[in-house]
Amino acid sequence: MTHTPSIKICIIEDDALILKSLQQVLNNAEGYSVTGTFFSAEAALENLKEHHPDVLLLDIDLPGMSGIEAIPKLHKLQPELNIVMLTVHEESEIVFSALRQGAVGYLVKGSNSKFLLQGISEVFDGGAPMSPSIARQVIASFTMSKETSLSDRELEVLQKLSNGTNNKQIAEDLFVSTNTVKAHIKNIYKKLHVHSRAEAVSKAIKKGWI
Amino acid sequence: MTHTPSIKICIIEDDALILKSLQQVLNNAEGYSVTGTFFSAEAALENLKEHHPDVLLLDIDLPGMSGIEAIPKLHKLQPELNIVMLTVHEESEIVFSALRQGAVGYLVKGSNSKFLLQGISEVFDGGAPMSPSIARQVIASFTMSKETSLSDRELEVLQKLSNGTNNKQIAEDLFVSTNTVKAHIKNIYKKLHVHSRAEAVSKAIKKGWI
DNA sequence: TATAATATCACCCAAACGGGTACTATCACA
DNA sequence: TGTGATAGTACCCGTTTGGGTGATATTATA
């Protein structure tokens, strides 16, 4: 019997050899226990809740529903579940979209077992295991681009637009006339090639300007 | 003389003792060389280009312009510069906004020199050094939350709103009357507690719904 | 079975918006 | 010196929007 409660792990992996190997490593290590294994996302979605895992290792390349597609469905089933992707090679675009779907990290299959255990512990402790290059891409995507053709005043107005502020209120906030506000908005529309507040706000947020 | 070119490092740090210590560690290590040091962001902005650093270590708490404010200005000066923040304690909100401004990682002052050198190398090699808890927060912020109280139809309408589509066009796209579209929009407003298209779009995008 | 949520449609009205034109004034840059 | 970008102001006009109230049908869930 273990002294500290083990991290309960489920694994979705269609390759029986890899699954076996993962299972062996995890069950032989102190503090980790595999409570369930599945060969497909479909199977996991049906029975996962019975195994109440802390961490789920999820293969990306699965027959039927892909690992990435499965993420939102698994989260719906068990919202607080920490999903860690398993990949063969570290292809950034795929890993990236997995993270976007809600995975908290990923592990490369075949890396040594120390890495595996460390990664799982990191996830359990609230971390997010990933390689340096993926980490950088994540940071970059979340950074604001700042390359805008808008003037400071226009950005200020745009910010107000995103709060749903109307022209009259913006005018009061900026101590100018509503006509001035309208003029700024018209210029914003010209620069962004849009024709409404909603579209301007959408574009600006997606570009990270506001 | 060194055999491989050293990583050129500049440091902005107002505390002379810490600066000295950093400088010593880096200059004594193989493959790292400090090419410039500054006591303030203002000083760095004037002279940084002469030292063409690969990596810049930037203190967050600086007299005058803060390290975070300095990031965009430094990037304007040298767009490809890798900026790494130096912090005393790891306060997530501050680190977080530094990353948002364009820093690629951070190092905790006083952690052992192995960590420092490793972090700098990681940055130089395209990585992003940060602690597990910050990594998780970054991942989380960039993940779509998907927890929405909106119906599928309402999300569909919201998507159209973000494109700047007007009610008439939305009605045509969805094969319903403009009255129906208006009804959906009213319901969206009620659920999101907003009063305009722009505000609804802003909220939805920031929550990752569209 | 009843109640809530969703989706559909209708009418009204005041307020807000988008687009057009036109006029200053400042500041930087060529 | 003048040309462009930014900021501020003004007026007009037709269209769109937001908010109100009310109604029907379907589906899901308690």
Side-chain angles (χ1 to χ4, degrees):
Chain A
M1 113 177 232
T2 55
H3 296 277
T4 52
S6 287
I7 302 174
K8 288 192 281 294
I9 301 159
C10 283
I11 309 174
I12 309 180
E13 167 65 67
D14 64 309
D15 186 319
L17 281 175
I18 294 177
L19 180 56
K20 202 87 195 166
S21 142
L22 285 170
Q23 220 171 336
Q24 223 154 40
V25 169
L26 293 173
N27 280 330
N28 288 336
E30 187 75 26
Y32 304 82
S33 74
V34 177
T35 62
T37 64
F38 310 91
F39 290 113
S40 74
E42 288 84 352
L45 284 167
E46 276 189 17
N47 300 301
L48 187 72
K49 39 188 171 295
E50 298 161 22
H51 304 84
H52 33 268
D54 300 310
V55 175
L56 174 70
L57 303 184
L58 174 55
D59 186 21
I60 289 186
D61 295 311
L62 288 172
M65 188 188 305
S66 83
I68 292 174
E69 290 173 76
I71 297 171
K73 296 177 198 296
L74 289 163
H75 265 142
K76 206 164 199 170
L77 211 66
Q78 196 178 321
E80 293 308 307
L81 181 62
N82 289 314
I83 299 178
V84 179
M85 306 312 289
L86 293 170
T87 71
V88 183
H89 299 299
E90 182 193 300
E91 291 151 275
S92 51
E93 254 322 303
I94 293 172
V95 171
F96 217 63
S97 53
L99 295 176
R100 220 194 300 275
Q101 289 301 313
V104 296
Y106 71 93
L107 297 166
V108 177
K109 289 181 198 177
S111 53
N112 71 56
S113 47
K114 186 188 155 195
F115 254 126
L116 175 65
L117 299 174
Q118 193 180 299
I120 291 174
S121 289
E122 205 176 320
V123 167
F124 187 68
D125 294 335
M130 53 186 154
S131 74
S133 89
I134 295 289
R136 175 69 75 98
Q137 283 175 67
V138 169
I139 293 287
S141 87
F142 133 108
T143 291
M144 306 196 251
S145 54
K146 281 294 172 199
E147 283 161 48
T148 165
S149 56
L150 299 181
S151 70
D152 290 349
R153 198 58 155 174
E154 284 160 355
L155 281 176
E156 205 171 351
V157 171
L158 196 49
Q159 180 66 58
K160 301 267 180 203
L161 291 185
S162 84
N163 297 331
T165 315
N166 67 23
N167 295 352
K168 193 175 158 192
Q169 188 60 52
I170 295 173
E172 283 178 32
D173 292 353
L174 302 185
F175 305 105
V176 296
S177 77
T178 59
N179 293 307
T180 301
V181 173
K182 289 187 76 172
H184 284 309
I185 293 175
K186 282 178 212 175
N187 289 330
I188 292 170
Y189 289 177
K190 278 207 188 81
K191 288 188 183 177
L192 303 189
H193 307 292
V194 299
H195 306 279
S196 74
R197 306 159 100 74
E199 202 181 354
V201 165
S202 167
K203 212 159 205 172
I205 295 178
K206 285 177 179 166
K207 297 227 173 192
W209 295 338
I210 53 178
Chain B
M1 102 180 242
T2 55
H3 296 277
T4 52
S6 289
I7 301 173
K8 288 192 282 292
I9 302 160
C10 282
I11 309 173
I12 309 180
E13 167 64 66
D14 63 308
D15 185 318
L17 281 175
I18 294 177
L19 180 56
K20 203 86 193 166
S21 142
L22 286 170
Q23 220 170 338
Q24 224 154 39
V25 168
L26 293 172
N27 281 330
N28 288 336
E30 187 75 24
Y32 304 82
S33 75
V34 177
T35 63
T37 64
F38 310 90
F39 290 112
S40 73
E42 288 83 352
L45 284 166
E46 275 189 16
N47 300 301
L48 188 72
K49 41 189 170 293
E50 298 162 23
H51 304 84
H52 32 271
D54 299 311
V55 175
L56 174 69
L57 302 184
L58 175 55
D59 186 21
I60 288 185
D61 295 311
L62 288 172
M65 187 188 306
S66 83
I68 291 174
E69 292 173 76
I71 297 170
K73 295 177 200 293
L74 289 162
H75 265 142
K76 204 164 201 170
L77 211 66
Q78 196 179 319
E80 293 308 307
L81 182 62
N82 289 313
I83 299 179
V84 179
M85 305 313 288
L86 293 171
T87 71
V88 182
H89 299 298
E90 182 193 299
E91 292 152 272
S92 52
E93 254 323 302
I94 294 173
V95 171
F96 218 63
S97 54
L99 295 177
R100 221 193 301 276
Q101 289 301 314
V104 296
Y106 71 92
L107 297 166
V108 177
K109 289 181 198 178
S111 53
N112 71 56
S113 47
K114 185 189 155 195
F115 254 125
L116 174 67
L117 299 175
Q118 192 180 300
I120 291 174
S121 288
E122 206 176 320
V123 167
F124 188 68
D125 294 335
M130 53 186 154
S131 73
S133 89
I134 295 289
R136 175 69 75 99
Q137 284 176 64
V138 169
I139 293 287
S141 86
F142 131 109
T143 292
M144 305 195 252
S145 55
K146 282 292 171 201
E147 283 163 47
T148 164
S149 56
L150 299 180
S151 71
D152 290 349
R153 197 57 156 175
E154 284 160 355
L155 281 176
E156 204 172 351
V157 171
L158 196 48
Q159 180 65 60
K160 301 267 180 203
L161 291 184
S162 84
N163 296 331
T165 315
N166 68 21
N167 295 351
K168 193 176 160 192
Q169 188 59 51
I170 295 174
E172 285 179 30
D173 293 353
L174 302 185
F175 306 105
V176 296
S177 77
T178 58
N179 292 308
T180 301
V181 174
K182 289 187 74 173
H184 285 308
I185 293 176
K186 281 178 212 176
N187 289 329
I188 292 170
Y189 288 178
K190 276 207 190 83
K191 289 188 183 177
L192 304 189
H193 308 290
V194 300
H195 307 278
S196 72
R197 306 158 100 74
E199 202 181 354
V201 165
S202 165
K203 212 159 204 173
I205 296 178
K206 285 177 178 166
K207 296 227 173 192
W209 295 338
I210 54 176

